[in-house]
């Protein structure tokens, strides 16, 4: 099995298989995870919380390998994430990039980047033109207008 497929299998098992506990086996106990949402570094325990949040929003159909790259101990996979919104059942289709360092078959360091804006737009959690509004200099101020997916 290629290293790219090994990395993809880890993320498929966690997201598509909804096997969140597998994070404890897939990541070393001292793994450093660079979080895409805040830029902070976290560990496997925080990855569990993040994975639970992602799975609560999306029923993952599959993760397709777009490109795999290797540089010494580092493996980068660009993946296409496909699924359906858990609440509204409409398609979710976004790109993500994961760069990991493997040690003895476990992830000891990871960088996660996903097109979270596009995913939130497809989940009706952000306006479709959110990025354009921000690039035009507007601030998204929708806290007072927040609705639960069940209200949509």
């Amino acid at each position: 099995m290629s290293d790219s497929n090994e990395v993809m299998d880890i993320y498929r098992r966690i997201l598509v298989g909804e096997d969140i506990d597998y994070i404890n086996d897939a990541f070393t106990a001292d793994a450093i995870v660079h979080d895409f949402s805040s830029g902070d570094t976290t560990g496997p325990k925080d990855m569990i919380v993040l994975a639970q949040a992602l799975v609560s929003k999306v029923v993952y159909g599959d993760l397709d390998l777009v490109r795999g790259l290797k540089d010494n101990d580092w493996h980068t996979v660009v993946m296409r994430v496909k699924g359906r919104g858990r609440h509204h059942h409409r398609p979710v289709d976004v790109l993500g990039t994961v760069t990991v360092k493997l040690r003895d078959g476990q992830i000891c360091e990871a960088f996660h980047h996903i097109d979270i804006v596009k995913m939130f737009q497809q989940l009706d959690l952000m306006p479709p033109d959110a990025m354009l509004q921000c690039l035009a200099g507007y601030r998204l101020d929708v806290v007072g207008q927040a609705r639960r997916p069940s209200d949509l």
Side-chain angles (χ1 to χ4, degrees), residues 111-132:
F111 292 84
H112 298 129
H113 300 279
I114 187 169
D115 190 345
I116 200 80
V117 171
K118 185 175 180 182
M119 184 173 86
F120 282 175
Q121 289 170 331
Q122 292 174 354
L123 292 170
D124 285 334
L125 298 172
M126 289 181 77
D129 62 347
M131 177 120 44
L132 293 175

Side-chain angles (χ1 to χ4, degrees), residues 15-150:
L15 295 173
V16 178
E18 298 186 9
D19 187 358
I20 307 301
D21 290 335
Y22 183 62
I23 290 171
N24 292 314
D25 297 326
F27 288 76
T28 62
D30 61 346
I32 298 169
V33 180
H34 302 272
D35 182 15
F36 64 80
S37 61
S38 66
D40 292 337
T41 56
T42 62
K45 289 180 183 176
D46 294 315
M47 262 300 293
I48 290 170
V49 174
L50 177 63
Q52 288 170 333
L54 290 171
V55 166
S56 77
K57 300 287 181 225
V58 178
V59 177
Y60 292 88
D62 201 6
L63 308 179
D64 294 331
L65 177 65
V66 174
R67 177 82 56 212
L69 306 166
K70 182 177 179 182
D71 182 22
N72 296 318
D73 295 334
W74 289 93
H75 309 277
T76 299
V77 294
V78 178
M79 62 180 80
R80 187 170 188 182
V81 180
K82 295 188 274 184
R84 297 208 163 268
R86 196 167 288 278
H87 299 287
H88 63 48
H89 308 289
R90 289 193 295 271
V92 172
D93 188 347
V94 296
L95 289 175
T97 303
V98 176
T99 300
V100 301
K101 185 175 185 180
L102 295 175
R103 182 173 65 218
D104 299 325
Q106 289 182 295
I107 297 171
C108 60
E109 188 169 3
F111 292 84
H112 298 129
H113 300 279
I114 187 169
D115 190 345
I116 200 80
V117 171
K118 185 175 180 182
M119 184 173 86
F120 282 175
Q121 289 170 331
Q122 292 174 354
L123 292 170
D124 285 334
L125 298 172
M126 289 181 77
D129 62 347
M131 177 120 44
L132 293 175
Q133 287 184 33
C134 292
L135 290 172
Y138 294 97
R139 178 180 157 187
L140 293 179
D141 193 12
V142 295
V143 175
Q145 302 170 20
R147 296 179 293 159
R148 296 185 186 278
S150 59

